[in-house]
Amino acid sequence: MQVPAQFEYERATSVEHALALLAKYGPESRVIAGGHSLIPMMKLRLARPEALVDVNELTELSGIEVSGGELRIGALVRHAELLASAEAGALFPILADAERVIADPIVRNRGTIGGSLCQADPSEDLSAAFTAVRANAVIRGEEGTRTVPVREFFTGPYSTVVGPAELLVELRLPIREGSGSAYAKVGRRAGDWAVAAAGAELALEGADVAEAGIGLTAVGAPRFVAAEAEDFLRGGAASAERFEKAGFIAAGHCAPAADQRGPVDYKRHLVATLTTRALHRAAERAGG
């Protein structure tokens, strides 16, 4: 039987209470909401937190709304809630694309958006999606609130800029007129981690690309970003030829590792194909 090591458990009743508990228990405490990643790691003793701070009662972190030209998504929003949000899906179709292929209904019903990002798994889907749309992460600590671009949020595998006494409270996605987005993924089976995946957002001005965002999952892209491919697209025609070229550029600037999901060459092929596919779909949505 796999069982976690001994730990303390506290249930937070407000964001301020959660921050106080995190400060009380120090860097060996962990926040828990859905727990689908943390609990298995604790059972295998890959993670041995001294205290868990349960934030499931913090309803102030559970909203989805449009405000100030942004889509705002609380960190405690469940995957199923985001998938069901017609407003979020209309403004950012990439989110619905990604949520449909995340794990299974059990995980989507309990897992949270904030938990997914803070886990910082290199194969996590929403990290690439939020990277593509240039989302901002709102982080609160006892000394105040700070906003960090998601492109600067990840410091490495399973590591983020969120401090030991801080809490991710919200994601803010800037709404751009004339933009479209999409996510494309290949996994070994339904609900599995990605072999490779690509998210894209395009803002068009006529037939040209005014701005491009591309996020890559599971292929060793620094901070999930395909920056060179974005630079290539920006200011040029939104054409099939250029989308294909951007896919090859993205494939050439990531660093996939050979593993049980496939060899390096196969993963690079997927990056090129999925990036091209996501760009085509994003352009269709931007024009429609």
Side-chain angles (χ1 to χ4, degrees):
M1 181 180 294
Q2 298 170 337
V3 296
Q6 186 173 354
F7 60 91
E8 298 293 326
Y9 172 83
E10 298 268 12
R11 179 170 291 182
T13 57
S14 67
V15 172
E16 291 73 18
H17 186 210
L19 294 174
L21 291 171
L22 292 170
K24 170 185 174 181
Y25 287 106
E28 297 307 314
S29 61
R30 294 287 298 273
V31 172
I32 187 167
H36 289 289
S37 296
L38 180 57
I39 296 301
M41 291 176 68
M42 290 174 63
K43 292 174 70 176
L44 293 170
R45 303 208 176 187
L46 297 174
R48 301 184 64 164
E50 295 179 4
L52 294 184
V53 177
D54 189 331
V55 297
N56 278 292
E57 293 185 359
L58 308 189
T59 55
E60 64 262 47
L61 304 184
S62 298
I64 302 174
E65 65 173 359
V66 173
S67 178
E70 299 173 316
L71 176 67
R72 300 186 176 186
I73 303 170
L76 203 58
V77 169
R78 312 289 171 174
H79 293 294
E81 293 172 335
L82 184 56
L83 178 58
S85 171
E87 188 168 44
L91 291 170
F92 295 96
I94 188 174
L95 299 178
D97 290 348
E99 288 290 5
R100 288 190 189 98
V101 294
I102 290 177
D104 54 45
I106 295 174
V107 172
R108 292 196 292 269
N109 284 336
R110 291 297 300 166
T112 64
I113 307 308
S116 290
L117 263 69
C118 288
Q119 179 69 7
D121 191 301
S123 298
E124 204 280 315
D125 294 287
L126 285 184
S127 299
F130 283 124
T131 292
V133 299
R134 289 181 168 81
N136 293 302
V138 181
I139 300 168
R140 281 184 62 180
E142 290 190 305
E143 297 182 357
T145 301
R146 61 193 179 105
T147 300
V148 178
V150 166
R151 292 176 173 227
E152 300 173 12
F153 184 80
F154 306 101
T155 57
Y158 307 101
S159 178
T160 74
V161 298
V162 180
E166 291 186 318
L167 195 64
L168 173 65
V169 296
E170 190 176 54
L171 280 305
R172 296 182 178 179
L173 288 61
I175 299 170
R176 301 178 180 87
E177 293 295 329
S179 68
S181 60
Y183 190 74
K185 172 181 175 177
V186 167
R188 294 180 299 176
R189 56 186 178 272
D192 193 10
W193 296 110
V195 177
E201 183 183 47
L202 291 176
L204 302 182
E205 288 183 357
D208 294 333
V209 176
E211 186 57 85
I214 300 174
L216 301 177
T217 282
V219 291
R223 300 178 185 266
F224 297 92
V225 183
E228 294 82 4
E230 293 174 343
D231 292 341
F232 168 77
L233 286 169
R234 195 176 295 113
S239 65
E241 181 181 357
R242 288 179 61 81
F243 292 164
E244 185 174 358
K245 177 64 175 178
F248 281 112
I249 292 172
H253 285 86
C254 62
D259 57 19
Q260 71 273 21
R261 290 182 170 84
V264 170
D265 289 348
Y266 172 60
K267 292 184 178 183
R268 288 194 188 278
H269 167 74
L270 286 180
V271 170
T273 300
L274 295 175
T275 299
T276 303
R277 187 177 300 169
L279 288 168
H280 275 289
R281 189 66 179 124
E284 291 172 1
R285 288 169 170 171

